[in-house]
Amino acid sequence: MQATRTSPHTESPVAPPPPLSLQTRMVLLSYFAYFFYYFTRKHLSVATGSLVNEGFSLETIGYVNSAYAVCYAIGQFLSGALGDRSGPRIALCAGMCLSGISTLAFGLFPFVAVLAIGFTANGLFQATGWPNTCKLITSWVSDARRGRVMGFWLSCYIIGSMAATAFSGYLLKEYGWKEIFLVNGVVVTVIGIIQGLFLINRPEDRGYTFETSVAAAETAAEKKHGFLVMLKNPSVLFLGLSYFGLKYTRYTLFAWLPFYLEKVVGLTKDAPAHVSNGFEAGGVLGLILGGYFADRFFPRNRCRLALLALVGMIVAVYIYRFASSGLDIAGNVAGLAAIGFFLYIADSIISGTAAQDLGGTGSTASACGIINGIGSLGQILAGIVPVKLSQWYGWNSVFISFIVFGVISCLAVFPVARRKRLIEA
């Protein structure tokens, strides 16, 4: 039996750590929360080709994507600060339900104004996801086990993205583009309600703790000023700038890859949706291997691996831009998988584990929100810049922009990667 610990200051008993079964439940709930966020995030990219065929302007869809990204960026800062202060349960429940309703609205009322208002507001609702799920993980998993748990947990946004694309592709093929919005909207709303019913903000809410009472008090003080502290941290800002370039590439591929594969490569029906999943499939492999190599060779500063992965991504994009139009389906899947392999290694470190290391238990949501918020400025550009580049100079220029933004990401992460330790002892 575990001995009861006491604080040297209060001499009162300290609560035991939460049982493994409860920790596992919270990890899985947060995993499936962010997994299903993608069902009302990836749906528009799959439906874009059909919407254009129905008479919706490609430029209008591009502006809608950019407006969504503006709200998403603003929401990251707000969600990060509020998540550290009030807890993630209500934010996740409300965010998912509102995201589902805004998606459902366009399926019921398929007008340009409804798309513009609903999908733009969806950016705010989607922004509740990342900072608050990361906050849950840091609250419910001890420091000693967090690296291994995150290796599993971070797959949620890759597998969720793949599942969302495949599911929307299936709905498009079997039923039509309206059902993409109707069904995904209902699914995400239901999952949001489940989160509100069963999530627990932190172990202390059920009488458990990982810390002594003294450490808990220190965390509370950090939590009070966490957002401002993180906002002044140079490493957080550098990682945010690096994520800016990375997110431009990632969200351009999210928004326009199925359309590119249909119009430029020449794939038909549901093939663009399924082939585009090669990007995320490579990301799953990169996440698994990247997590192993990060712990094995870069335990003190995983940003060094992120820098190497960014260089690999640039090389993969350079090769794919010349070959994509002449490749068969398997070749396109392989090329996109190579890009995803390197991109997601860097992505998971910069926005996930490095942000958690810098934020600590009390300021994780703030650190994640700031890095993701700055990064989302690149997501704003991904809405309309690729459209303009493709119209003016062709799709080859879009891939050149990936290389340019990749170089920006490398330069930004370099000062952080140079540090011997990401967190000073």
Side-chain angles (χ1 to χ4, degrees):
M1 180 179 296
Q2 183 177 353
T4 302
R5 296 174 294 167
T6 59
S7 167
H9 295 275
T10 65
E11 296 299 328
S12 60
V14 175
L20 183 60
S21 59
L22 186 57
Q23 294 181 57
T24 302
R25 191 202 314 169
M26 294 303 106
V27 169
L28 290 177
L29 278 170
S30 64
Y31 183 99
F32 284 109
Y34 206 68
F35 175 95
F36 279 104
Y37 263 94
Y38 277 86
F39 282 62
T40 49
R41 185 180 300 184
K42 293 294 294 293
H43 60 298
L44 182 58
S45 66
V46 176
T48 294
S50 297
L51 291 176
V52 171
N53 293 337
E54 289 286 328
F56 286 80
S57 166
L58 184 63
E59 192 170 68
T60 297
I61 295 174
Y63 281 119
V64 168
N65 275 317
S66 290
Y68 164 93
V70 170
C71 288
Y72 186 81
I74 295 171
Q76 287 294 319
F77 292 99
L78 298 176
S79 296
L82 292 175
D84 278 331
R85 288 184 175 273
S86 60
R89 182 177 67 88
I90 296 300
L92 290 172
C93 175
M96 295 194 79
C97 289
L98 291 172
S99 179
I101 292 170
S102 66
T103 300
L104 183 65
F106 182 64
L108 294 172
F109 309 102
F111 306 109
V112 172
V114 178
L115 174 65
I117 295 172
F119 199 69
T120 298
N122 190 35
L124 285 174
F125 308 145
Q126 284 281 324
T128 59
W130 186 253
N132 289 291
T133 49
C134 285
K135 176 70 176 179
L136 275 167
I137 293 296
T138 55
S139 297
W140 281 98
V141 180
S142 66
D143 292 341
R145 298 179 61 241
R146 189 175 301 142
R148 284 170 290 172
V149 172
M150 285 299 292
F152 154 76
W153 188 87
L154 282 169
S155 66
C156 67
Y157 73 99
I158 304 178
I159 299 176
S161 178
M162 293 174 62
T165 302
F167 184 61
S168 292
Y170 167 78
L171 292 174
L172 178 64
K173 179 183 178 182
E174 297 295 330
Y175 301 101
W177 64 267
K178 289 183 182 179
E179 280 70 17
I180 293 178
F181 296 87
L182 294 172
V183 177
N184 282 319
V186 171
V187 167
V188 172
T189 301
V190 171
I191 299 299
I193 294 172
I194 292 173
Q195 300 298 317
L197 291 175
F198 297 106
L199 273 181
I200 304 169
N201 282 330
R202 54 181 187 155
E204 288 79 3
D205 293 341
R206 290 295 184 271
Y208 303 107
T209 186
F210 288 111
E211 302 171 305
T212 65
S213 59
V214 175
E218 292 172 351
T219 298
E222 178 187 7
K223 181 177 179 180
K224 184 177 180 180
H225 305 289
F227 182 80
L228 293 179
V229 171
M230 291 296 101
L231 195 60
K232 296 176 182 178
N233 188 319
S235 293
V236 171
L237 299 180
F238 275 124
L239 291 181
L241 180 58
S242 180
Y243 205 40
F244 165 82
L246 193 60
K247 225 171 183 189
Y248 168 81
T249 300
R250 179 180 157 204
Y251 272 85
T252 296
L253 292 171
F254 272 7
W256 301 111
L257 186 54
F259 182 79
Y260 168 80
L261 291 171
E262 178 182 348
K263 301 299 182 181
V264 179
V265 178
L267 303 182
T268 59
K269 296 184 179 179
D270 60 332
H274 296 301
V275 172
S276 66
N277 268 339
F279 173 64
E280 278 94 358
V284 173
L285 181 60
L287 190 61
I288 295 172
L289 295 180
Y292 168 78
F293 286 118
D295 288 341
R296 179 69 175 83
F297 300 107
F298 305 95
R300 296 186 176 183
N301 189 346
R302 295 179 178 88
C303 287
R304 295 180 178 180
L305 178 60
L307 177 60
L308 295 177
L310 285 169
V311 174
M313 183 197 74
I314 292 172
V315 174
V317 168
Y318 181 81
I319 294 173
Y320 182 75
R321 80 183 182 97
F322 288 113
S324 61
S325 59
L327 294 173
D328 58 9
I329 288 179
N332 271 281
V333 170
L336 292 170
I339 296 173
F341 176 84
F342 292 110
L343 184 147
Y344 275 103
I345 291 176
D347 190 290
S348 64
I349 293 172
I350 292 171
S351 68
T353 52
Q356 288 176 315
D357 288 343
L358 289 168
T361 304
S363 299
T364 291
S366 292
C368 290
I370 291 168
I371 292 172
N372 214 349
I374 297 173
S376 294
L377 299 177
Q379 182 181 343
I380 295 172
L381 299 182
I384 193 61
V385 168
V387 175
K388 294 299 185 181
L389 288 176
S390 64
Q391 290 175 345
W392 294 340
Y393 307 108
W395 280 95
N396 185 55
S397 63
V398 177
F399 287 94
I400 293 176
S401 72
F402 293 163
I403 296 173
V404 172
F405 279 94
V407 171
I408 292 173
S409 293
C410 287
L411 294 175
V413 81
F414 182 74
V416 185
R418 287 186 61 191
R419 294 174 55 175
K420 291 183 178 180
R421 295 177 62 93
L422 191 59
I423 304 178
E424 299 297 336

